[in-house]
């Protein structure tokens, strides 16, 4: 399974954009990049995913490097509710099990 | 919005006892998963399940663990003889498709083994 590397923690001010980086230098051509987050005392929650092109949804944007060896999750205006652990996870499209391998993730602190 | 539900929210049991954790996945989903998270540690994959069969299981998922879909709505995780180290949050998840499809997680069951 290809691995991802994320900073342990980041801080942001409320209502400012947040850029959460993820390195995945051993990514293969069939690996999708997923982001999940885990709010305190809750189960993981899907945020966004992509393969090659940048993606936007109501929660966030995902910017994927041209060589796909890194990606950045962008929260356009952080709120206090966005304080969570953010996980960058690779999943293979050829996989028939859907197993998600969680790392330690990035703990995002949002200051008022 | 449809969601995955889990019961109970907290289960306390004595070491050696059997526990069954219950999950109701999203109704049109076909793929089901269990994960666990020991306090302060990573979320760990336990097992994936499709078409009434285990698709993949981790090293953690030994003979003490079993999963079942007893009817059209429930998905259960049974631990036959609990150990102290089984104390953790257990999360159920489901997805419509396999592979890279989005997984929707339940709120978890906190299992405490005394």
């Amino acid at each position: 399974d290809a691995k991802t590397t994320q900073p342990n923690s980041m801080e942001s001010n409320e209502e400012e954009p947040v850029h959460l980086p993820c390195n995945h230098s051993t990514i293969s051509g069939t690996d999708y990049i997923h982001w999940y987050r885990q709010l305190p005392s809750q189960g993981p929650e899907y945020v966004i995913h992509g393969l090659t092109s940048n993606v936007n949804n109501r929660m966030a944007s995902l910017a994927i490097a041209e060589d796909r060896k890194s990606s950045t999750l962008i929260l356009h205006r952080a709120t206090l509710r966005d304080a969570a652990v953010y996980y960058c996870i690779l999943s293979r499209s050829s996989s028939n099990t859907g197993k998600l391998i969680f790392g330690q993730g990035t703990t995002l602190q949002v200051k008022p | 919005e449809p969601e995955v539900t889990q019961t109970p929210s907290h289960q306390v049991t004595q070491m050696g006892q059997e526990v069954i954790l219950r999950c109701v996945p999203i109704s049109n989903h076909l793929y089901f998963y269990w994960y666990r998270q020991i306090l302060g540690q990573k979320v760990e994959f336990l097992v994936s399940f499709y078409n009434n069969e285990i698709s993949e299981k981790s090293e953690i998922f030994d003979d003490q663990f079993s999963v079942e879909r007893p009817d059209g709505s429930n998905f259960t995780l049974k631990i036959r003889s609990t150990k102290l180290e089984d104390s953790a949050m257990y999360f159920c998840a489901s997805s419509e498709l396999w592979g890279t499809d989005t997984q929707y997680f339940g709120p978890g069951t906190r299992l405490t083994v005394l």
Side-chain angles (χ1 to χ4, degrees):
Chain A
D1 296 314
K3 293 191 180 206
T4 64
T5 305
Q6 300 177 252
N8 288 334
S9 62
M10 291 185 65
E11 283 185 0
S12 171
N13 294 318
E14 197 176 11
E15 298 190 7
E16 289 186 359
V18 182
H19 291 234
L20 297 163
C22 180
N23 286 319
H24 27 79
S25 57
T26 59
I27 192 170
S28 79
T30 57
D31 285 339
Y32 279 74
I33 302 157
H34 290 251
W35 284 82
Y36 284 77
R37 72 180 184 180
Q38 188 174 22
L39 278 63
S41 302
Q42 295 190 28
E45 173 188 32
Y46 168 80
V47 178
I48 200 166
H49 77 285
L51 182 62
T52 56
S53 305
N54 295 343
V55 185
N56 301 297
N57 67 19
R58 63 177 177 82
M59 288 181 72
S61 296
L62 176 59
I64 301 172
E66 200 169 324
D67 64 5
R68 300 207 329 122
K69 293 184 185 300
S70 65
S71 61
T72 302
L73 178 71
I74 303 165
L75 307 179
H76 296 286
R77 282 180 75 236
T79 67
L80 296 178
R81 196 196 170 275
D82 291 322
V85 181
Y86 286 79
Y87 301 99
C88 171
I89 302 170
L90 302 182
S91 68
R92 194 146 291 172
S93 63
S94 57
S95 166
N96 64 351
T97 71
K99 174 177 70 174
L100 294 176
I101 305 289
F102 287 81
Q104 295 290 355
T106 296
T107 300
L108 176 65
Q109 188 178 15
V110 180
K111 295 189 280 190
Chain B
E1 185 171 325
E3 58 182 19
V4 176
T5 59
Q6 291 186 242
T7 53
S9 56
H10 190 191
Q11 174 89 47
V12 181
T13 189
Q14 296 290 326
M15 190 168 56
Q17 295 295 304
E18 174 183 288
V19 294
I20 298 176
L21 310 183
R22 291 183 166 79
C23 168
V24 179
I26 294 173
S27 62
N28 65 328
H29 286 186
L30 300 177
Y31 298 84
F32 313 113
Y33 314 87
W34 283 101
Y35 294 81
R36 81 169 185 191
Q37 186 174 33
I38 294 170
L39 187 63
Q41 298 188 24
K42 297 185 292 187
V43 177
E44 300 173 288
F45 168 80
L46 291 179
V47 66
S48 59
F49 188 86
Y50 167 71
N51 199 26
N52 281 321
E53 288 185 349
I54 290 174
S55 303
E56 185 174 358
K57 59 184 180 180
S58 71
E59 290 177 356
I60 304 166
F61 195 89
D62 61 22
D63 292 343
Q64 292 300 311
F65 291 86
S66 62
V67 288
E68 192 179 28
R69 187 149 162 85
D71 52 44
S73 59
N74 290 284
F75 179 51
T76 62
L77 174 69
K78 183 194 293 186
I79 309 175
R80 286 191 187 79
S81 178
T82 50
K83 308 184 193 95
L84 295 176
E85 54 264 37
D86 294 326
S87 295
M89 282 291 288
Y90 288 80
F91 297 108
C92 173
S94 69
S95 64
E96 191 173 357
L97 303 171
W98 50 262
T100 61
D101 196 32
T102 298
Q103 292 184 23
Y104 294 85
F105 286 77
T109 292
R110 178 175 301 282
L111 177 65
T112 302
V113 182
L114 303 176

